Amino acid sequence: MNKFEKKLLNSRIAVLSKDKHMQDYSLSFQLCPFYHAQTLIDSSISFEGLPLPSYNLKDLSGVKLIFDQDECDQFNGCFTINSIHNPVEL
């Protein structure tokens, strides 16, 4: 398998959402399509279980969030390529 180059990942839109029954948020980055191993890939990177102080983006603008290691371990980041789920660290 060809080595995957991180520079191929460019987001075109980010979506912040909250399950009305949960207190945590999900953040998904829809990626610009790119070629990997002669295949056009259209994918996203998603994180679930983010404890954010607000649902409103205007409240989060310019805010620096610092999470401890236990919180980071619960985020469940995922990048899908060729139908394979790959864990992602935030």
Side-chain angles (χ1 to χ4, degrees), residues 22-40:
M22 303 292 287
Q23 293 183 0
D24 294 334
Y25 297 83
S26 297
L27 180 62
S28 179
F29 296 93
Q30 181 65 42
L31 302 174
C32 296
F34 59 92
Y35 280 96
H36 176 67
Q38 290 111 18
T39 303
L40 183 62

Side-chain angles (χ1 to χ4, degrees), residues 50-70:
L50 299 171
L52 300 178
S54 175
Y55 182 67
N56 294 316
L57 291 178
K58 66 180 176 114
D59 297 337
L60 299 173
S61 179
V63 172
K64 182 176 181 177
L65 301 171
I66 299 174
F67 301 106
D68 64 30
Q69 189 60 46
D70 289 336

Side-chain angles (χ1 to χ4, degrees), residues 5-22:
E5 297 182 37
K6 294 177 193 173
K7 68 180 183 180
L8 295 173
L9 303 179
N10 293 301
S11 63
R12 61 179 165 190
I13 190 169
V15 177
L16 179 65
S17 59
K18 180 179 180 187
D19 185 320
K20 59 184 171 184
H21 302 292
M22 303 292 287

